[in-house]
């Protein structure tokens, strides 16, 4: 299970102060403390099997992780407006989702915007944890959902042409080929580039 690496994005200054290399957990923790005035819990910095450590924390004092992370992001947003873009939300673990839920509930008065992306199938599948999480948060009216439609056949043709240098520079691509690409991908832009 992939957990959100949100702590890494809290303080880019930690990477800069460590010579451009990825900061050590200790450096990152100190940078968050210095910049945000928040002490992050030990569970976030255990290198070996961090997902198991977070799972243990989630089964116990879950708020011990969520509150400090949330406070750090809120304090950063008070310095200047903050937009967080999180992709593949369907892979986030429970602790990460709860941290985002916390931010969704308290951000109304803060200059903070969360843009979260997830696959439509998982977001609407009742057996997937994300669908239940979204349903719980819908009661708070804390988000707006936008479902993207697939591209039409002409847009798929245009995307294929762009991949080959644009309509004027691309070799002549037979209509049957772009029709096949449209049929196989279902107009999903992700499948066009993968």
């Amino acid at each position: 299970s992939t957990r959100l690496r949100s702590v890494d994005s809290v303080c880019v200054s930690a990477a800069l102060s460590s010579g451009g290399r990825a900061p050590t957990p200790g450096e990152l923790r100190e940078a968050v403390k210095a910049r945000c005035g928040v002490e992050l819990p030990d569970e976030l910095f255990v290198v070996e099997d961090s997902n198991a450590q977070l799972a243990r924390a989630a089964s116990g004092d879950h708020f011990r992780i969520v509150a400090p992370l949330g406070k750090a992001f809120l304090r950063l947003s008070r310095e200047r407006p903050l937009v967080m873009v999180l992709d593949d939300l369907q892979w986030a673990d429970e602790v990460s989702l709860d941290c985002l839920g916390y931010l969704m509930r308290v951000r109304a008065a803060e200059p903070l915007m969360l843009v979260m992306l997830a696959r439509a199938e998982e977001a609407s599948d009742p057996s997937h944890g994300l669908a239940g999480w979204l349903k719980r948060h819908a009661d708070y009216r804390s988000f707006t959902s936008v479902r993207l439609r697939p591209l039409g056949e002409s847009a798929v043709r245009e995307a294929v042409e762009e991949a080959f240098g644009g309509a004027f520079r691309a070799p002549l691509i037979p209509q049957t080929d772009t029709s096949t690409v449209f049929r196989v991908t279902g107009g999903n832009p992700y499948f066009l580039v993968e």
Side-chain angles (χ1 to χ4, degrees):
S1 164
T2 302
R3 71 180 169 96
L4 298 177
R5 305 268 186 231
S6 55
V7 179
D8 293 342
S9 64
V10 172
C11 291
V12 173
S13 61
L16 297 175
S17 67
S18 57
R21 64 174 170 70
T24 66
E27 291 168 335
L28 186 58
R29 185 179 205 169
E30 288 305 312
V32 171
K33 187 175 182 180
R35 176 99 181 261
C36 304
V38 175
E39 181 78 34
L40 296 177
D42 294 335
E43 293 87 348
L44 288 172
F45 298 98
V46 175
V47 176
E48 62 182 66
D49 201 11
S50 58
N51 283 339
Q53 184 78 5
L54 281 175
R56 278 194 298 279
S59 65
D61 189 8
H62 193 175
F63 199 68
R64 183 173 142 64
I65 294 172
V66 172
L69 275 176
K71 286 179 185 175
F73 285 120
L74 291 174
R75 289 190 181 157
L76 285 173
S77 76
R78 291 173 188 147
E79 289 179 16
R80 64 175 167 229
L82 180 63
V83 177
M84 295 172 59
V85 180
L86 304 149
D87 195 8
D88 289 334
L89 201 59
Q90 70 275 2
W91 300 117
D93 63 16
E94 186 179 346
V95 174
S96 299
L97 288 174
D98 283 348
C99 184
L100 292 171
Y102 172 84
L103 289 172
M104 289 167 63
R105 288 187 301 276
V106 300
R107 67 147 182 79
E110 306 293 341
L112 172 65
M113 175 185 274
L114 301 171
V115 178
M116 298 180 279
L117 307 161
R119 293 183 187 155
E121 297 80 24
E122 283 88 346
S124 59
D125 178 0
S127 68
H128 196 282
L130 179 61
W133 182 82
L134 288 169
K135 187 175 181 341
R136 282 191 308 277
H137 288 284
D139 293 340
Y140 296 115
R141 299 192 183 277
S142 58
F143 69 91
T144 301
S145 179
V146 178
R147 185 177 285 264
L148 301 179
R149 293 186 310 238
L151 298 176
E153 190 167 350
S154 63
V156 167
R157 179 168 186 78
E158 188 178 320
V160 169
E161 287 172 346
E162 283 300 315
F164 287 99
F168 295 109
R169 290 186 284 182
L172 292 175
I173 301 170
Q175 179 68 35
T176 55
D177 290 352
T178 55
S179 293
T180 300
V181 169
F182 172 72
R183 185 176 38 76
V184 169
T185 64
N188 186 326
Y190 177 76
F191 295 138
L192 289 173
V193 296
E194 286 299 308

